[in-house]
Amino acid sequence: MTQGGKKKKRAVNRSIMLAKKIIIKDGGTPQGIGSPSVYHAVIVIFLEFFAWGLLTAPTLVVLHETFPKHTFLMNGLIQGVKGLLSFLSAPLIGALSDVWGRKSFLLLTVFFTCAPIPLMKISPWWYFAVISVSGVFAVTFSVVFAYVADITQEHERSMAYGLVSATFAASLVTSPAIGAYLGRVYGDSLVVVLATAIALLDICFILVAVPESLPEKMRPASWGAPISWEQADPFASLKKVGQDSVVLLICITVFLSYLPEAGQYSSFFLYLRQIMGFSSESVAAFIAVLGILSIIAQTIVLSLLMRSIGNKNTILLGLGFQILQLAWYGFGSEPWMMWAAGAVAAMSSITFPAVSALVSRTADADQQGVVQGMITGIRGLCNGLGPALYGFIFYIFHVELNELPMPESPSGGSTVTQYHLQQNSIIPGPPFLFGACSVLLALLVALFIPEHTNLTVRPSNWKKHCGSHGHPHSPQAPGEAKEPLLQDTNV
């Protein structure tokens, strides 16, 4: 190509980019406040999960009042449907945001994820029904991580992802305790109103303050570009699992260890509140302590273990702690046992970061994104299967709740309800023991994972997959081509 032709092509490209900026400024996507930054994403995540964290204690009460006979079964079904819908919709929403921009999908996901909040006091049945359906849009993290990838350089991305993840953890450490205190002093209605107000504040913040991160970097060809089925197929990454023996071992380990973890997250706080007799304040304190210990375990302890005993041994140690924790939950019948097992649970949280690090170190440069995508896809699948499985196991073992109404107070106050575990249940927490057996199998599988290897799975297919799922405007470095490791979930 001649020198004049190159200059002419550059001039045309500049004209196209200028036209895009004018369109966006004069009636397209609102610009927001300032330039796109990680702090915009951090605020969006914090407000959304802070609002849901406030509702931890009220949700447990409303869940039992709405489904008094099959509380755990219905909780499992609700969370299971939500998790499966999130797993199925996440790739499609991610692909659409690559074309239509991040801001509109941030607004969409936050709005529909928070839509059930005011329904808690209006109609509990509609509240839980909308929670289930909202799983289609409960993928805020996917859009937020794409937003961060748009606006950060390759060497900044890990720190940015860490900031978003830490903000998520901070919101869940603080909000349940605040919600429990406000509910005890002022009633649950105020907590619901406050959570609704924070959700509306988050929506307004996205509308007014969050600038679009994508349009200025979009290529002209992507305007109105069709979305291929490969991009929207939630099983696309799972189909490649069996193409390498090491990848298969890692994915089986993740599935067997995360399936009980996902089920535990969906039902454990209800279990503490209704079966173990924890008060709302105790549940909130448990969440806070467990969150703080997990942060310490995943930073300081994980770093020391990785340096001293190696990557694979760290995974095995984390799985060992998880087996102990689940067995303790399963056989424990006293509150102090739950607190002790919670400390062990914090140590078990090192497993998945260690798995992710193992994949990052052993996969080739052009295979990072897809291997991490497989693991994230398996976790998403577990988020749907785990809660439903736990609810079903509680049901078949007859772990239900009985209400013992106390005489109404002279002042005409509401009746006090006490809960106890049915005596025909031999084991207090059968799903947790099932989870311990599942993690034991994961430990046996993990023993066969080599410490150092190269993952090779049909390079041409990997590149094709990466090309269809990656963002053309934000190439990722080998160490940064990771899918977000967090899943959207209600407390």
Side-chain angles (χ1 to χ4, degrees):
M1 184 181 291
T2 63
Q3 188 71 17
K6 291 181 179 179
K7 289 182 179 179
K8 184 176 180 180
K9 184 176 180 180
R10 284 197 295 267
V12 171
N13 289 337
R14 284 197 297 268
S15 299
I16 292 174
M17 294 303 297
L18 179 60
K20 287 183 181 180
K21 292 179 181 179
I22 293 173
I23 290 172
I24 293 170
K25 184 176 181 180
D26 293 342
T29 306
Q31 287 295 297
I33 298 177
S35 301
S37 69
V38 178
Y39 299 106
H40 289 100
V42 162
I43 294 174
V44 170
I45 285 294
F46 181 83
L47 291 176
E48 177 181 336
F49 286 94
F50 190 87
W52 274 110
L54 289 173
L55 297 178
T56 301
T59 297
L60 302 181
V61 175
V62 172
L63 182 64
H64 173 62
E65 291 176 350
T66 308
F67 309 106
K69 293 185 178 180
H70 303 298
T71 309
F72 289 101
L73 177 63
M74 294 306 301
N75 177 67
L77 291 177
I78 291 166
Q79 297 298 331
V81 170
K82 180 181 178 182
L84 284 175
L85 289 177
S86 299
F87 168 71
L88 295 173
S89 65
L92 176 60
I93 290 180
L96 290 174
S97 73
D98 286 341
V99 176
W100 295 345
R102 314 296 183 200
K103 178 169 181 171
S104 57
F105 282 92
L106 279 176
L107 185 63
L108 190 70
T109 55
V110 171
F111 176 80
F112 281 101
T113 302
C114 296
I117 292 177
L119 295 175
M120 176 181 284
K121 287 300 179 181
I122 299 174
S123 172
W125 280 91
W126 276 106
Y127 171 70
F128 291 113
V130 175
I131 283 179
S132 299
V133 178
S134 70
V136 174
F137 299 99
V139 291
T140 307
F141 261 113
S142 299
V143 184
V144 163
F145 274 79
Y147 188 98
V148 171
D150 292 339
I151 59 179
T152 54
Q153 299 298 321
E154 296 165 356
H155 64 279
E156 303 171 330
R157 208 158 288 153
S158 288
M159 184 177 295
Y161 285 170
L163 181 60
V164 173
S165 301
T167 302
F168 164 79
S171 68
L172 295 186
V173 166
T174 56
S175 55
I178 295 174
Y181 172 77
L182 293 176
R184 180 170 56 84
V185 176
Y186 301 104
D188 289 344
S189 296
L190 176 67
V191 180
V192 174
V193 170
L194 179 60
T196 303
I198 293 174
L200 290 174
L201 176 63
D202 197 10
I203 293 170
C204 292
F205 177 78
I206 296 172
L207 280 171
V208 176
V210 175
E212 177 58 67
S213 64
L214 188 62
E216 294 185 6
K217 301 178 181 180
M218 288 172 63
R219 297 178 181 177
S222 67
W223 283 57
I227 302 298
S228 69
W229 170 244
E230 185 180 4
Q231 289 175 283
D233 183 7
F235 299 97
S237 60
L238 302 183
K239 293 174 183 176
K240 300 179 183 293
V241 166
Q243 296 181 8
D244 182 89
S245 58
V246 179
V247 173
L248 182 61
L249 290 173
I250 292 175
C251 288
I252 292 175
T253 301
V254 171
F255 180 81
L256 292 174
S257 62
Y258 192 71
L259 184 67
E261 187 174 341
Q264 173 186 321
Y265 285 158
S266 70
S267 61
F268 187 64
F269 299 137
L270 175 66
Y271 183 78
L272 289 179
R273 180 76 174 89
Q274 311 291 9
I275 298 297
M276 301 307 300
F278 275 45
S279 65
S280 299
E281 293 78 10
S282 298
V283 172
F286 188 93
I287 296 173
V289 172
L290 184 60
I292 293 171
L293 291 178
S294 296
I295 292 173
I296 296 173
Q298 293 182 52
T299 53
I300 300 173
V301 178
L302 179 62
S303 177
L304 293 174
L305 290 175
M306 293 282 279
R307 286 199 302 264
S308 59
I309 65 176
N311 205 323
K312 178 182 175 180
N313 290 331
T314 301
I315 295 174
L316 298 176
L317 183 63
L319 292 173
F321 276 116
Q322 189 177 1
I323 294 171
L324 176 60
Q325 163 228 331
L326 289 168
W328 211 336
Y329 282 156
F331 286 114
S333 58
E334 298 295 333
W336 71 266
M337 297 180 181
M338 299 297 105
W339 284 99
V344 179
M347 280 300 301
S348 71
S349 66
I350 65 175
T351 303
F352 193 77
V355 169
S356 182
L358 177 65
V359 170
S360 179
R361 292 181 179 182
T362 57
D364 290 338
D366 62 342
Q367 300 178 356
Q368 290 277 337
V370 181
V371 178
Q372 295 284 357
M374 287 181 188
I375 296 174
T376 304
I378 290 199
R379 281 168 61 92
L381 190 61
C382 291
N383 280 331
L385 298 177
L389 182 63
Y390 263 50
F392 181 69
I393 295 175
F394 272 124
Y395 175 72
I396 63 176
F397 277 86
H398 306 291
V399 179
E400 290 296 340
L401 308 173
N402 285 336
E403 295 187 18
L404 299 176
M406 303 299 290
E408 190 170 295
S409 62
S411 61
S414 59
T415 60
V416 179
T417 304
Q418 294 181 345
Y419 307 98
H420 72 89
L421 183 63
Q422 284 190 353
Q423 297 301 317
N424 62 346
S425 178
I426 300 175
I427 303 172
F432 303 114
L433 295 181
F434 169 83
C437 295
S438 178
V439 179
L440 178 60
L441 293 176
L443 179 64
L444 297 176
V445 173
L447 289 172
F448 295 95
I449 299 175
E451 179 75 43
H452 302 288
T453 186
N454 288 324
L455 305 182
T456 55
V457 186
R458 299 182 188 177
S460 60
N461 290 339
W462 288 92
K463 292 176 182 178
K464 178 181 177 183
H465 183 86
C466 290
S468 63
H469 284 73
H471 307 309
H473 55 277
S474 59
Q476 298 190 359
E480 307 294 343
K482 297 181 181 179
E483 293 286 336
L485 302 182
L486 291 169
Q487 301 289 335
D488 287 10
T489 178
N490 294 339
V491 178

